[in-house]
Amino acid sequence: MRAHDDGPADGSADGPAGERGGSLERGEPGESGGRRGRFPLRLRRGPVNWAEQEPSWREARPALIAGALKRALARPSGNWYVIGAARDVRPGRPLGRTVAGTELVVWRDGSGKLVAGPGACPHLGAPLKDGRVCHGTLICHWHGLALDGGPFAGWEPYPAYDDGVLAWVRLDRAGGEPPLDRPVLPPRPSAPAVDAVYTGFGVCEPEDVVANRLDPWHGAWLHPYSFVDLTVLATPEPDTHDSDADDGFAVDVSFKVAGRAVVPVRAVFTAPGPRTVVMRVTEGEGRGSVVETHATPLGTDDRGRPRTAVVEAVVAASDRPGFRAARAAAPVLRPLMRAVAGRLWRDDLAYAERRRQLRATGRFPG
């Protein structure tokens, strides 16, 4: 990982974003670093003038982003795809999804284990998502055919995995890679955490979503309502091959709360797989928290265009005593966390769709 030294790392927020900086190699944390006070909030000394930020286009080199994307796409996935939030697969009812053009039905058996398989009934093709789950057995609503999760009359289950936050399915025919027994999972906070999962949809391909997340420079420009004082401290070395430890983007950024109140953190973006980008808070408030962005191909729409689901899991943790109250209020916090993610992805999916369109017409400059 190559560190950038763009200025002092004293955490001041007087100037535009580009005037803040630091060196991870020298161990000089900014305000988002190890000097955490009693309260997570900080007050900026002045308002943010969007137009007067330091331009970041020179640093956001297309070749650098394209190289990180190429390495991400080459990493193994084991043919595992995120279906959605694990809590969306509830006991007693099936869930229907389409992943990589494959119609799926997902449910929980009598022990609560995740089961996935083809979405069409092997009898006459009725949609199994409209059936009912009784004592862990899926019963088709058309003629009452019952599936206990094992093979039956040509119906074969797919490997499924519940990681406690997300539900996964393995589709070997769609993935075409050597299969893995379980998904490649990034480390999550070991302390008790609050998690929320947002799902959005776009007319694009997974690589367009991943490329968006591997461009941290756009944060304060495209999302000024959420981010200020963004400085990219370190980027992957040009000759990085497949070392996840070095193949990341380190960022100092402040999350806007209200008015001049911000929460500064240091974070690192990495791509452990071809359809996943992880942002991990390494210093500052919520250290160890992660935001996992998973891009799941769905298939094509009625115009033949590719569609992708963005499934973003926010797993927030804190060692502050008051975080216990946040955990207790998780059912109330989750809709708010999803709303924040949804606002960001409204803009990011618009860019991902445009990137796909430019690529499809040979006009993408990267």
Side-chain angles (χ1 to χ4, degrees):
M1 184 179 292
R2 171 179 292 179
H4 301 286
D5 189 4
D6 297 325
D10 61 358
S12 63
D14 298 50
E19 292 180 10
R20 301 179 66 243
S23 169
L24 295 181
E25 293 179 350
R26 292 205 310 266
E28 296 176 350
E31 186 179 36
S32 62
R35 300 196 295 270
R36 191 182 71 160
R38 292 182 58 192
F39 303 103
L41 300 181
R42 300 289 186 272
L43 291 179
R44 298 187 83 258
R45 297 180 184 176
V48 178
N49 189 322
W50 180 85
E52 292 181 1
Q53 297 181 98
E54 186 73 17
S56 60
W57 65 270
R58 289 183 179 86
E59 293 182 63
R61 302 191 306 276
L64 180 62
I65 298 169
L69 173 63
K70 182 179 179 180
R71 293 189 295 276
L73 297 179
R75 294 190 176 108
S77 72
N79 304 324
W80 287 96
Y81 299 83
V82 171
I83 301 171
R87 64 174 52 88
D88 287 346
V89 188
R90 303 173 184 175
R93 64 177 68 178
L95 183 69
R97 288 288 188 268
T98 298
V99 173
T102 302
E103 182 187 12
L104 302 173
V105 64
V106 187
W107 78 95
R108 296 193 182 276
D109 66 14
S111 66
K113 182 181 177 181
L114 197 67
V115 181
C121 179
H123 175 222
L124 285 175
L128 290 172
K129 66 180 179 63
D130 294 334
R132 296 183 182 180
V133 178
C134 298
H135 306 292
T137 297
L138 175 61
I139 302 175
C140 178
H141 76 302
W142 198 243
H143 293 97
L145 184 145
L147 297 170
D148 62 6
F152 182 84
W155 188 95
E156 294 282 343
Y158 298 121
Y161 190 84
D162 182 343
D163 68 21
V165 177
L166 298 170
W168 302 71
V169 65
R170 198 182 82 195
L171 301 174
D172 293 335
R173 182 176 298 180
E177 301 177 18
L180 297 176
D181 291 338
R182 54 181 288 174
V184 179
L185 298 175
R188 290 175 178 159
S190 56
V194 174
D195 66 89
V197 179
Y198 161 81
T199 302
F201 304 92
V203 179
C204 59
E205 296 184 272
E207 75 162 76
D208 300 303
V209 174
V210 173
N212 175 281
R213 293 295 278 165
L214 293 177
D215 168 17
W217 292 275
H218 78 270
W221 287 99
L222 190 61
H223 310 296
Y225 45 81
S226 290
F227 307 121
V228 293
D229 301 330
L230 190 152
T231 301
V232 177
L233 302 173
T235 60
E237 294 285 353
D239 59 349
T240 297
H241 295 290
D242 197 33
S243 172
D244 288 339
D246 295 327
D247 199 6
F249 297 82
V251 176
D252 267 358
V253 64
S254 292
F255 294 87
K256 293 181 69 174
V257 178
R260 294 189 296 118
V262 298
V263 177
V265 302
R266 181 168 293 179
V268 175
F269 291 79
T270 57
R275 293 179 293 276
T276 299
V277 177
V278 178
M279 185 203 79
R280 180 177 307 281
V281 177
T282 58
E283 296 181 41
E285 187 62 30
R287 185 172 59 182
S289 299
V290 297
V291 177
E292 299 175 11
T293 304
H294 302 273
T296 299
L298 303 179
T300 56
D301 63 12
D302 55 4
R303 295 169 57 183
R305 302 176 302 177
R307 296 186 68 246
T308 293
V310 174
V311 183
E312 187 161 275
V314 180
V315 186
S318 175
D319 57 4
R320 292 184 182 274
F323 190 70
R324 296 178 182 176
R327 290 179 53 213
V332 176
L333 290 176
R334 286 191 182 105
L336 299 176
M337 295 166 71
R338 286 194 294 267
V340 171
R343 187 179 186 188
L344 293 170
W345 276 108
R346 178 195 63 194
D347 295 334
D348 279 338
L349 272 172
Y351 169 77
E353 290 182 338
R354 176 169 175 79
R355 185 182 187 276
R356 198 280 314 178
Q357 185 181 38
L358 292 174
R359 288 192 303 107
T361 54
R363 296 179 294 140
F364 183 66

